[in-house]
Amino acid sequence: MKLRILKSEVTNPWFNLATEDWIFNTLNPDSHTLFLWRNSETVVIGRSQNPWVECKTDKMAEDDVFLARRQSGGGAVFHDLGNTNFTFLSPKADYDQDANFTIIINALKKLGVDATLSGRNDMQVGDRKISGSAFKHSVDRSFHHGTLLVNADMQKLGDYLNPHPLKLQAKGIKSVRSRVANLVEFNDAINHETLSQAMIEAFCEHYGQEVEAIPVEELDEAILAQEPHLNKYYQQMADWEWRFGKTPEFSHHLETRFDWGLIDLHLDVKQAVIAEAVIFSDALNVELIEALKESLTGVKYNKDTIGAKLAALSEAQPEMASQVTDFSAWLVGAITG
């Protein structure tokens, strides 16, 4: 069986996740492939997750942190340049998940770290998690990817992965937090380059190949122009409709009181669009409540879009502008994204 090693020089997560899709869907699965990469500051959510439940999307936007949705399942993770990410691709008939974990364990042994497999997905040193994985299979190929915590900023992990208490009743998968550790806590000489080299060596050794005999293919953004399939996947990963619009159906219940009345708002959201807005209120102006409901229905669940729609209502109905402005400031402040 041939071996193939790919390594990304790009830290844009949409490029790297698109590369994964390109590897999975397009490359000939006649070899065992190892892809190594890392991302700039990013929250990566699973295919069936709700970004508003999993992370503080407003703070991420303020800090220029990427949001990415991967094709596979699993929970939300924070990536930065202190993470090393790996992807294994094998023909389905020759796929061996245990072999992949063995390669990682052997790579870490080269760096003086004794890791063990925990359950089906995670790896740990002692009782602390240092790696998580997810998996995907098709008719002729199988895919295993994950992340290794090398020197990740744990404070930022907490900053972005602790969502606001939004009273969201969400369908889909919700993440479970684990006690984690960086590999530098066990060997302060470990970095992305040393770990990548150890992974490459362990990968070749496992399959009985000489490291020098397997060229490492360096990937950069120029490849987008050369590979139409890769560029297509990149455009998908970067698109709002993929990152937010693929969110499973959820509802959001908010309450507040203004001088002019109580607002009890229920939003049903499907594919990140408000499908129905129900408002209970003791406000005297019934037309205001109906106008608010109408303005919200069919709008993207996004504070900028909602703010623009309510601003248009305020301009079109100056007699209720004051109340609409109150309502808009409150709702836009309550919604993150």
Side-chain angles (χ1 to χ4, degrees):
M1 180 69 66
K2 294 187 296 183
L3 300 186
R4 190 171 185 183
I5 301 170
L6 307 173
K7 189 177 177 188
S8 176
E9 296 301 309
V10 180
T11 60
N12 180 315
W14 303 332
F15 174 89
N16 288 324
L17 289 171
T19 300
E20 280 199 310
D21 277 358
W22 173 63
I23 291 170
F24 182 73
N25 292 304
T26 308
L27 292 192
N28 190 337
D30 63 351
S31 61
H32 292 295
T33 299
L34 172 65
F35 172 44
L36 295 169
W37 45 290
R38 60 179 178 164
N39 291 331
S40 298
E41 293 184 349
T42 305
V43 172
V44 184
I45 60 174
R47 186 185 180 102
S48 299
Q49 289 196 296
N50 183 327
W52 294 284
V53 169
E54 294 300 328
C55 50
K56 293 180 179 176
T57 55
D58 56 343
K59 182 168 177 56
M60 289 166 57
E62 289 172 9
D63 296 346
D64 293 323
V65 173
F66 287 95
L67 173 71
R69 182 189 296 276
R70 60 180 177 268
Q71 291 277 11
S72 60
V77 293
F78 176 71
H79 287 182
D80 63 12
L81 296 179
N83 291 73
T84 293
N85 303 301
F86 59 85
T87 305
F88 295 98
L89 176 74
S90 296
K92 193 166 186 177
D94 294 306
Y95 175 72
D96 185 346
Q97 192 168 296
D98 290 338
N100 298 338
F101 282 118
T102 297
I103 289 167
I104 300 169
I105 288 171
N106 289 340
L108 292 173
K109 281 182 180 176
K110 291 175 179 289
L111 300 170
V113 177
D114 289 321
T116 57
L117 183 61
S118 174
R120 179 175 177 270
N121 295 13
D122 299 337
M123 303 187 70
Q124 55 189 47
V125 176
D127 63 350
R128 299 175 71 190
K129 177 178 173 179
I130 51 94
S131 177
S133 292
F135 315 94
K136 187 177 176 183
H137 306 278
S138 72
V139 173
D140 64 346
R141 63 194 71 197
S142 292
F143 174 92
H144 168 189
H145 69 174
T147 187
L148 285 153
L149 294 169
V150 179
N151 192 17
D153 188 328
M154 297 299 187
Q155 176 61 46
K156 288 188 176 180
L157 183 149
D159 287 346
Y160 301 124
L161 287 185
N162 289 325
H164 297 298
L166 284 179
K167 295 186 180 178
L168 292 174
Q169 300 300 315
K171 299 180 182 179
I173 308 301
K174 194 170 189 304
S175 293
V176 177
R177 310 296 176 216
S178 301
R179 189 162 176 256
V180 296
N182 277 314
L183 289 170
V184 291
E185 296 181 40
F186 311 106
N187 176 358
D188 61 11
I190 295 177
N191 57 41
H192 175 67
E193 293 304 327
T194 59
L195 180 55
S196 294
Q197 186 58 36
M199 288 278 288
I200 290 169
E201 291 174 5
F203 178 68
C204 292
E205 289 166 5
H206 183 83
Y207 291 107
Q209 303 267 0
E210 295 291 332
V211 175
E212 297 77 13
I214 311 298
V216 177
E217 301 173 48
E218 304 281 357
L219 303 180
D220 59 29
E221 287 168 327
I223 198 173
L224 288 173
Q226 303 167 20
E227 297 288 346
H229 288 91
L230 175 55
N231 190 51
K232 174 185 172 184
Y233 294 134
Y234 173 81
Q235 296 300 330
Q236 176 185 325
M237 287 292 156
D239 187 29
W240 188 94
E241 293 296 339
W242 170 253
R243 293 179 295 122
F244 289 96
K246 293 298 182 182
T247 297
E249 184 178 334
F250 67 98
S251 61
H252 189 177
H253 176 211
L254 307 97
E255 292 178 288
T256 193
R257 176 173 288 281
F258 300 105
D259 292 341
W260 45 265
L262 170 73
I263 290 289
D264 182 359
L265 172 63
H266 299 256
L267 301 175
D268 287 331
V269 185
K270 298 179 181 179
Q271 295 186 323
V273 172
I274 299 171
E276 184 178 17
V278 177
I279 302 175
F280 300 101
S281 178
D282 59 3
L284 296 176
N285 189 344
V286 176
E287 289 77 14
L288 166 67
I289 302 306
E290 291 303 315
L292 291 173
K293 289 195 293 185
E294 184 177 340
S295 292
L296 292 174
T297 303
V299 174
K300 284 183 178 180
Y301 184 84
N302 171 279
K303 64 182 180 182
D304 293 333
T305 307
I306 290 170
K309 194 66 184 281
L310 292 172
L313 172 62
S314 181
E315 185 175 342
Q317 303 284 350
E319 71 280 3
M320 56 179 70
S322 176
Q323 292 94 333
V324 172
T325 300
D326 288 344
F327 179 87
S328 179
W330 163 70
L331 181 55
V332 167
I335 288 179
T336 60

